[in-house]
Amino acid sequence: MTARIGVITFPGSLDDRDAQRAIRVAGGEPVALWHGSHDLEGVDALVLPGGFSYGDYLRAGAIAALAPIMSEVKDAAAQGMPVLGICNGFQMLVEAQLLPGGLIRNAHQQFIRRDQKLRVENASTAWTSEFTAGDEIVIPLKNADGGYIAAESELDRLEGEGLVAFRYLGVNPNGSLRDIAGLTNELGNVVGLMPHPEHAVEPGFGPDTALAMRSGIDGLPFFTSAIAAVVGAAA
């Protein structure tokens, strides 16, 4: 079977087409979905892409978390469907309470764009199974509201239950507590992170590596992992 992965476009989404292309490169079928719809069109997994949904009014992701289609996203996530939130999509997942904590303005109060090193902390989710825990990867990051916050007790819980999916290495670009770059839920089907794996799936377009300029494809396993999870569940 070919995994059908929906990418939801919100007003102000910037990276929805990039996410669709990443899915296609990984071997899946991207399905364009609209924020105002209540129809997930029978997809097997979902991506909430980066951008500035609804202009990031109120808080980044706050209005998008109340979009009509998010009712279906919540139901699908509760039933185990793989859901990935990238940057603004991570903010939506937090605002929709599909992931805990909050995301606030970067500590230095500036938008940042860099190729960011991460450590994979949890390789047992639907979106990370083709990594190994401890892997160090590099994917692009670009955000102004990427500082992850939570109560100290919640941070301890996340650490203790293995729900930190990714951690910043070398540089903490936005002041995230405990260098948290991404999280997973308890079921392992919902993952959110601030950096952008969809921008590192094709040689010639990703981060620089020791091998060649722009040759990094460390984002590709996110999408192949989800495809493998979907195909495996259907077998």
Side-chain angles (χ1 to χ4, degrees), residues 4-9 16-17 20 24 29-35 37 39-41 43 69:
R4 301 177 70 250
I5 302 180
V7 180
I8 303 172
T9 297
D16 45 344
R17 296 297 181 91
Q20 291 174 27
R24 191 176 295 110
E29 177 187 346
V31 179
L33 301 176
W34 184 239
H35 73 110
S37 171
D39 186 359
L40 296 182
E41 299 186 22
V43 298
I69 202 168

Side-chain angles (χ1 to χ4, degrees), residues 12-19 49-52 56 60 86-91 105-106 108 110-118 139-147 168 173-174 181 193-200 205:
S13 293
L14 300 180
D15 300 300
D16 45 344
R17 296 297 181 91
D18 302 75
F52 302 91
D56 276 351
I86 303 170
C87 195
N88 194 220
F90 183 19
Q91 294 159 346
R105 194 75 175 174
N106 293 346
H108 46 67
Q110 295 179 345
F111 182 91
I112 188 168
R113 190 274 178 225
R114 56 177 286 116
D115 290 337
Q116 178 66 46
K117 182 180 285 189
L118 306 174
I139 58 177
L141 174 145
K142 49 178 185 175
N143 65 69
D145 298 270
Y168 296 117
N174 45 37
L193 76 164
M194 288 309 299
H196 287 259
E198 77 279 18
H199 295 327
F205 298 93

